[in-house]
Amino acid sequence: MATQKYWRCLSSLRSPPTRLPIPTYILGTSSAAFSTTAPLEKAGTPAGRKLVGGAQKGKKTLRLGGGKRGEPTKGKAPAPGERKAIRKRIVLSNTNAFEVPGIQDWSADNLAAESSLGTIVALPGATVDSLRAIEAFKATQGWGFFARPTTLIRAETLELARHIKNTNDKTIRKLVVGERGSGKSVLALQAQTMAFLNGWVVIHIPEAQDLTIAHTSYAPIEGSNPIKYTQKTYTAELLGRIAKANEAVLSKLELSMEHTNLPISVQSNMSLSRFAELGARDPDVAWPIYQALWKELTSTTAKQARPPVLFTVDGLSHMSRLSEYLAPSMHYIHAHDLALVDHFVSFLSGASTLPNGGLILGIDSNSNRPPSPSLDLAITQSEVRAQTGRTDLPMYDEKSPYDRIDERVLSTMRNVDLMKVENLSRLEARTLLEYYARSGMLRANISDGFVTERWTLAGGGVVGELERASVRRH
């Protein structure tokens, strides 16, 4: 009992808890101190008054946009292939540009004339249609700035012109290299133009990556050892381009062999143009017809003489590595195991020849170039061999022992003649700048100082940078 009495005495000594004072700004209003909108609206709106603007509760409103509330209105979806067509659209004329007087058309007569060095020539209309058919033009080359397609004759152009004029049933193999924007793809276009003007058959693969990035169907060839893979859809498209671009030549040539291994029957007197169109229409028979067409073009016993062939590929580095296709063992297929790639590489390496003469061009484009140490080493060895004349170079480069070298690529590329596209000289740069000014695409006085300035800004004469610095900035 005494213990409880003591606890009651101690509890009476504890003081009640004190409350903290409430700030005055909280007692005045419950809203933020910097806003008076809500109290004013409440005070200024009488009872029963309807607010103007906005939907009333329980009322339906008209919604002109489709979809649910809060979602953006979707436009019309593009048709299949529409975006690709816009991306690959080529414009070859500009109605706002001036027609430059005194520009001659490029013809077979002035093809390899030394006097044409450093001059501007125009591409003939019929040749332009053939070049468009094989997709030789690129959207990044600036053809749409001028009134008509023209090109500058350079030293490399005359070198190819001499080869085309004096082929003498030889197979000329060239690997075109150079820095980005130096004009390698335009040089290939010039070679194709000269081949068309001389009545050659031109076959062109515009983008080698289309064969290796696994965007088209593929299937193994039965009985092939080592196993090879066909790409029937792309082969059909290639046959269509061949037939359309070379119709003037192929329509005059007829079949000279009996192709009994074809899955379809063909007439014995069918023209080669019609024969290629059959493969373009049916992808299932495209690869056998492609092989038969090449037998016809390289025949030496036909009654009708076969013309020389120009075979070009742009983006060669995509062919010098593993592709994105998968084998049944779930390993990546080497690009050289694809039938179309292997066919071109056999000509470029010298394993196959053109009996009626021709030119094989591989373009090492730097605009979209994947790493390829084997191709880089082959180019380096070709440069050393051209400078020193040595032919006993080692297989591997001692300066890069950690790079994985593909022997298949190195063995096929190391003996190909190298053609390096150099930068423009100041005289050639002046010719281009004067043409830009006369076309109305450049508003400047073409003086020596101006030429030197633009030539320097273009990296010492890189033609792509010169065009970008002079035309596309205005």
Side-chain angles (χ1 to χ4, degrees):
M1 297 296 292
T3 305
Q4 294 181 357
K5 184 184 299 184
Y6 295 152
W7 277 112
R8 284 196 299 269
C9 295
L10 291 175
S11 61
S12 61
L13 296 176
R14 290 184 300 177
S15 60
T18 59
R19 295 182 178 181
L20 296 176
I22 301 176
T24 56
Y25 64 86
I26 295 180
L27 298 176
T29 178
S30 61
S31 60
F34 55 85
S35 176
T36 57
T37 304
L40 290 178
E41 285 188 356
K42 184 176 181 181
T45 305
R49 180 180 175 183
K50 298 181 181 180
L51 297 177
V52 181
Q56 302 178 12
K57 186 176 180 180
K59 300 289 185 177
K60 294 184 179 180
T61 57
L62 176 63
R63 288 187 297 156
L64 299 179
K68 297 181 180 179
R69 186 182 302 274
E71 293 184 358
T73 304
K74 297 181 179 179
K76 182 180 179 181
E82 182 178 355
R83 286 177 292 186
K84 183 178 180 180
I86 294 175
R87 185 176 71 251
K88 299 182 67 175
R89 182 179 59 181
I90 302 296
V91 179
L92 298 179
S93 62
N94 182 8
T95 56
N96 295 323
F98 298 137
E99 184 74 29
V100 179
I103 301 296
Q104 297 182 357
D105 286 349
W106 210 5
S107 62
D109 299 332
N110 59 357
L111 200 64
E114 295 291 341
S115 58
S116 62
L117 180 63
T119 60
I120 302 289
V121 294
L123 305 182
T127 307
V128 170
D129 296 337
S130 299
L131 292 173
R132 185 188 285 272
I134 62 174
E135 300 183 6
F137 298 103
K138 292 188 176 183
T140 58
Q141 291 174 345
W143 301 100
F145 287 109
F146 309 101
R148 57 182 303 191
T150 56
T151 185
L152 173 67
I153 305 299
R154 305 172 64 177
E156 295 83 3
T157 309
L158 293 182
E159 181 180 350
L160 291 179
R162 287 189 291 267
H163 289 315
I164 293 175
K165 277 289 188 180
N166 307 313
T167 178
N168 296 329
D169 298 339
K170 296 181 180 179
T171 304
I172 302 170
R173 301 173 291 116
K174 295 287 184 181
L175 175 58
V176 182
V177 298
E179 61 179 296
R180 181 177 180 179
S182 58
K184 299 180 295 297
S185 298
V186 174
L187 180 63
L189 182 141
Q190 292 175 341
Q192 294 156 4
T193 303
M194 293 184 288
F196 280 125
L197 293 175
N198 281 271
W200 285 28
V201 174
V202 180
I203 301 175
H204 178 55
I205 298 178
E207 291 290 345
Q209 69 171 352
D210 294 339
L211 293 172
T212 60
I213 59 177
H215 280 196
T216 183
S217 59
Y218 70 109
I221 301 177
E222 296 182 2
S224 58
N225 188 20
I227 189 170
K228 300 293 181 182
Y229 297 86
T230 59
Q231 297 162 288
K232 60 180 183 180
T233 304
Y234 189 90
T235 305
E237 295 175 357
L238 179 61
L239 286 173
R241 295 198 298 263
I242 294 173
K244 185 176 181 180
N246 302 278
E247 184 179 3
V249 177
L250 297 181
S251 60
K252 301 177 182 178
L253 303 177
E254 297 180 355
L255 295 176
S256 62
M257 302 178 184
E258 294 183 2
H259 304 281
T260 58
N261 58 343
L262 291 179
I264 59 174
S265 59
V266 295
Q267 300 177 358
S268 58
N269 60 346
M270 179 179 293
S271 66
L272 296 185
S273 176
R274 172 64 176 164
F275 186 62
E277 290 176 355
L278 290 179
R281 293 178 181 178
D282 189 359
D284 292 331
V285 300
W287 177 246
I289 289 182
Y290 178 82
Q291 290 180 304
L293 179 63
W294 268 98
K295 290 181 180 179
E296 292 286 343
L297 293 176
T298 56
S299 174
T300 57
T301 60
K303 295 181 179 179
Q304 298 172 313
R306 303 310 192 196
V309 177
L310 171 64
F311 198 1
T312 58
V313 168
D314 203 343
L316 189 64
S317 56
H318 290 275
M319 293 184 174
S320 305
R321 59 200 299 265
L322 295 175
S323 70
E324 298 297 329
Y325 292 98
L326 289 176
S329 60
M330 300 306 295
H331 292 86
Y332 287 109
I333 300 173
H334 197 281
H336 290 188
D337 291 331
L338 302 174
L340 281 174
V341 176
D342 180 68
H343 183 241
F344 174 79
V345 170
S346 65
F347 285 104
L348 186 62
S349 62
S352 302
T353 59
L354 298 171
N356 301 311
L359 179 61
I360 309 297
L361 277 184
I363 313 299
D364 184 24
S365 178
N366 287 334
S367 298
N368 182 20
R369 189 181 193 275
S372 179
S374 304
L375 182 60
D376 296 338
L377 178 56
I379 294 173
T380 302
Q381 291 184 347
S382 299
E383 292 177 347
V384 175
R385 185 170 59 250
Q387 295 175 0
T388 61
R390 292 180 55 190
T391 58
D392 56 342
L393 295 176
M395 178 65 73
Y396 300 104
D397 187 9
E398 297 180 357
K399 297 182 180 179
S400 56
Y402 301 104
D403 288 336
R404 296 185 61 182
I405 303 300
D406 191 343
E407 294 184 3
R408 298 182 64 179
V409 175
L410 186 61
S411 60
T412 56
M413 300 296 180
R414 67 193 308 252
N415 294 323
V416 183
D417 294 335
L418 198 67
M419 173 179 282
K420 187 174 183 180
V421 180
E422 303 291 344
N423 294 343
L424 297 175
S425 63
R426 283 184 172 84
L427 182 60
E428 293 173 335
R430 186 183 187 92
T431 302
L432 278 181
L433 291 175
E434 289 178 351
Y435 176 74
Y436 296 161
R438 295 174 67 185
S439 298
M441 296 293 104
L442 175 62
R443 299 179 180 179
N445 182 21
I446 311 302
S447 59
D448 293 340
F450 182 80
V451 172
T452 302
E453 174 192 348
R454 293 303 167 91
W455 182 86
T456 305
L457 291 176
V462 179
V463 61
E465 299 297 332
L466 182 67
E467 179 185 291
R468 185 176 294 108
S470 303
V471 177
R472 303 195 181 192
R473 61 179 292 181
H474 290 81

